[in-house]
Amino acid sequence: MEQLLKMETKIVTIGKNDSSEDVEEKLACAGCVIRRGGLVAFPTETVYGLGGDALNPESSRKIYAAKGRPCDNPLIVHIADIAALEQIVCEIPQTAKKLADAFWPGPLTMIFRRAAIVPHQTTGGLDTVAVRMPGHPLARLFIRKAGGYVAAPSANLSGKPSPTLAKHVVQDMDGRIDMIIDAEGVEIGLESTIVDVTGEIPMILRPGYITQKMLSGVVGAVDMDVTIYDSSSAQAPKAPGMKYRHYAPKGELVIVEGEPQKVVRYINQQAALHEAEGKRTGIIGTEELLPEYHAASVKNAGSKSDSTTIARQLYTFLREFDDEDVSYIYAESFAETFTDYGFGQAVMNRLLKAAGHKVIRV
Ligand code: AMP
Ligand code: MG
């Protein structure tokens, strides 16, 4: 740990006005760091990733150390073209081929049987490997420059929300990794959908932007790990990382469900009580109800009809509440808002985890 904290972290900014030669050069330099066994945080369309050479066990060990991540929680291997997939998995099932055609590059991670070339340090000891081809063009160029196989979990300290802005990565990783690439284009704001394609029927292990409906539109039946929608299930989640409550704001977060006016009344009452005791209170509310809330910090989750706004900002809000020393946080329930059970399900999955499943019905 001591040694990690002494490191100098170089921040490389890639702007809209950079020439393509400049971008190539910066990413070649970042790629070189990876090839030499170093760590580079980079933007993807979902969240910032903390990259290392996926085929180098020492790089994976460094990733776990930098994040303070439990080493039974496997990393996702990021690739830039389909030829790379063939090198790191035993077989590519038909369903995976179809899903790759439809959703890669993009926010979909698939679980395959691991080829021996992928070290156990990268797969958390498993004989399967998670693979994703990110949609962000800079991410793919970086992966190519880095040798084609970049293991990357989210670039946050374990226990913090995934970073959606470069400043979040700096907060968590400055002094712990070699380089941070600061660029735009982290548009989704939630981690990728994870689908296990090793069984007969593909199974969603983590919901994300690519929904069950989108997947089954391409391959027919798609199952979902029961632990995603049933928090009381006695089963262990099939994605090892899903068992950790990874984003815990310092303040106590509660989700409030019910008729909009009742929700507003309840949240305002609670906020008034806390604030009378000198405790700062935060609220995450939809745009339509926002003017009715009264508390120290009120965050705009966007319109009721659009789940992408809250997805993009959820982790920023949780980090801001920490910075603002908020003791209590109330969030509207987006389960009732986004009834299509599309992307809203992924939003609720993350919010419920952050809240430790505390939900109040009013
Ligand atoms: P992160 O990149 O931080 O979002 O974490 C990667 C996620 O992928 C974690 O939830 C892991 O448990 C999951 N994952 C990675 N590899 C596998 C695998 N081989 N089988 C199941 N889940 C995996
Ligand atoms: Mg993560």
Side-chain angles (χ1 to χ4, degrees), residues 69 73-74 76 111 126 128 130 152-154 194 205-206 238-241:
R69 180 179 177 117
N73 188 359
I76 294 173
I111 310 286
L126 297 176
T128 50
S154 48
I194 301 181
L205 308 189
R206 176 171 76 183
K238 294 195 169 54

Side-chain angles (χ1 to χ4, degrees), residues 141-310:
L141 189 52
F142 162 65
I143 293 163
R144 285 200 190 97
K145 302 281 185 198
Y149 307 94
V150 174
S154 48
N156 52 287
L157 284 174
S158 206
K160 289 284 207 159
S162 296
T164 50
L165 298 171
K167 72 173 182 188
H168 301 156
V169 185
V170 175
Q171 272 171 4
D172 284 12
M173 290 298 155
D174 193 24
R176 304 176 78 89
I177 61 175
D178 299 277
M179 188 183 279
I180 297 170
I181 301 171
D182 175 353
E184 289 188 353
V186 182
E187 276 164 1
I188 294 176
L190 291 189
E191 305 84 349
S192 58
T193 305
I194 301 181
V195 179
D196 185 344
V197 290
T198 60
E200 197 140 309
I201 296 175
M203 181 182 280
I204 299 175
L205 308 189
R206 176 171 76 183
Y209 183 79
I210 307 291
T211 63
Q212 188 173 27
K213 202 164 148 199
M214 289 159 81
L215 294 164
S216 52
V218 175
V219 291
V222 173
D223 286 339
M224 189 170 294
D225 183 356
V226 60
T227 63
I228 291 171
Y229 51 86
D230 180 6
S231 64
S232 60
S233 167
Q235 285 183 37
K238 294 195 169 54
M242 294 295 276
K243 69 174 179 274
Y244 298 106
R245 177 193 168 202
H246 36 270
Y247 351 95
K250 286 186 212 146
E252 185 183 323
L253 169 60
V254 174
I255 300 164
V256 186
E257 269 182 11
E259 236 179 79
Q261 282 314 314
K262 285 189 181 163
V263 169
V264 170
R265 207 175 315 132
Y266 176 82
I267 292 180
N268 280 338
Q269 274 168 0
Q270 294 301 111
L273 285 174
H274 298 316
E275 300 217 338
E277 290 172 352
K279 305 272 192 218
R280 292 170 70 83
T281 304
I283 298 173
I284 303 177
T286 45
E287 198 161 81
E288 290 81 353
L289 299 176
L290 220 59
E292 301 182 44
Y293 286 117
H294 307 288
S297 177
V298 181
K299 310 286 185 196
N300 184 353
S303 170
K304 273 187 187 304
S305 59
D306 181 8
S307 53
T308 60
T309 320
I310 177 63

Side-chain angles (χ1 to χ4, degrees), residues 294-331:
H294 307 288
S297 177
V298 181
K299 310 286 185 196
N300 184 353
S303 170
K304 273 187 187 304
S305 59
D306 181 8
S307 53
T308 60
T309 320
I310 177 63
R312 197 161 53 232
Q313 298 186 95
L314 179 62
Y315 293 149
T316 298
F317 290 163
L318 295 180
R319 281 178 184 261
E320 284 173 356
F321 284 137
D322 279 358
D323 294 342
E324 293 161 358
D325 268 329
V326 159
S327 303
Y328 295 93
I329 304 163
Y330 294 90

Side-chain angles (χ1 to χ4, degrees), residues 8-30:
E8 194 198 332
T9 303
K10 191 166 177 203
I11 299 175
V12 174
T13 305
I14 298 182
K16 283 216 164 68
N17 298 328
D18 281 11
S19 67
S20 54
E21 290 81 21
D22 282 351
V23 174
E24 284 263 342
E25 200 182 308
K26 287 173 182 176
L27 293 179
C29 176

